[in-house]
Each structure stands twice: as C-alpha cells, then as structure tokens.
Amino acid sequence: MNKKEVANKYLEYLEKGDINNVVDLFDINGIVDSPIYGVKKADEFYRELSNDTTNSELFLKGIFEQTNSNDLALYFTYKWTLQNNQEVEFDVVDIIELDSKNKIKKLKIIYDTVVARKLVDKLKE
C-alpha cells in the first residue's frame, strides 16, 4: 500500500471498530500518542479505545502529504459514542510517521480534549 492507501484504510478500519486491521497497519513497535490515553503501543491503545467506544463516525476533511517524506497528516471530524452512550464530536489531526515499508511507526493524535476528557473520566468512575 502507498501512503494514501494506508491513511484511507486506517480511517475505514477505525470507523468500523476493526481493531485487528488497524493494528496490522502499524509496525511491530508502532506507538500512538494520544492526548487522553497517553503514549502506548498501538495494540494497547486501540484495545483500550475500543473498550471505551460504542460507535465511531469519521468525516474526512483532508489528507496532507509532505514531499520527500514518509509523514502525512489526516484531518477529520470524529463523532464518538462512548460505552455509557455519551457522545462527543471534535476535529482531529493525526500525524502519521511511516517506515520504509509504509507501516505506521508513530501516530500522534491532536484535538481539543475539553469535552472528551470529562466524558472519558466519567466513564472510568
């Protein structure tokens, strides 16, 4: 897969909650840096996210590639329904660093956590 195909598959699998296929897009040591969940190995992060999630809807706004680089950015709106049926919607930028085989080495998630953090904290109570 090329960079754009990886990005599109990532969004498709994430929206479907297909955690095994999301994790397969990462290299063996791939990590996710999330403002709510912290820095974790990809499989650990996505399993925790899946456990907290009832439904996800993603609305892609753009994929941005840097020339002569294995990095790209995804810009999308994320409508997230948590296990307690609380919903939150926010814009997200994911910065993806790929290795030479187009496996994700690192994914940094950037979004405003004001509402989402409160809802996830409530879920953990």
Side-chain angles (χ1 to χ4, degrees):
M1 279 191 280
N2 65 34
K3 291 191 300 186
K4 226 173 215 172
E5 289 169 336
V6 170
N8 283 311
K9 284 297 182 188
Y10 171 76
L11 292 170
E12 174 188 331
Y13 297 150
L14 183 61
E15 185 171 48
K16 288 180 180 176
D18 187 347
I19 300 311
N20 290 331
N21 277 324
V22 169
V23 171
D24 284 346
L25 294 173
F26 283 77
D27 83 6
I28 192 81
N29 297 310
I31 61 168
V32 176
D33 183 350
S34 162
I36 289 182
Y37 295 95
V39 178
K40 298 187 179 218
K41 287 195 65 150
D43 61 338
E44 183 182 346
F45 169 79
Y46 288 104
R47 297 204 192 290
E48 188 172 347
L49 178 64
S50 179
N51 288 338
D52 290 349
T53 302
T54 301
N55 189 54
S56 296
E57 293 178 63
L58 285 68
F59 306 94
L60 181 63
K61 294 182 174 194
I63 298 174
F64 304 90
E65 294 184 65
Q66 184 174 336
T67 308
N68 301 320
S69 168
N70 280 344
D71 299 347
L72 57 101
L74 308 176
Y75 177 36
F76 58 97
T77 298
Y78 186 48
K79 186 175 178 183
W80 186 20
T81 306
L82 288 95
Q83 283 293 340
N84 61 5
N85 291 317
Q86 293 288 313
E87 290 184 0
V88 62
E89 185 174 316
F90 46 87
D91 285 345
V92 179
V93 175
D94 283 354
I95 308 295
I96 298 176
E97 296 177 29
L98 298 161
D99 66 15
S100 60
K101 297 176 184 167
N102 284 337
K103 289 286 199 173
I104 301 170
K105 289 192 306 187
K106 181 178 181 183
L107 186 141
K108 181 170 183 64
I109 304 168
I110 303 167
Y111 64 95
D112 183 344
T113 64
V114 171
V115 175
R117 183 175 304 279
K118 289 176 189 170
L119 294 177
V120 171
D121 286 348
K122 186 185 284 188
L123 187 64
K124 304 293 182 183
E125 291 176 352

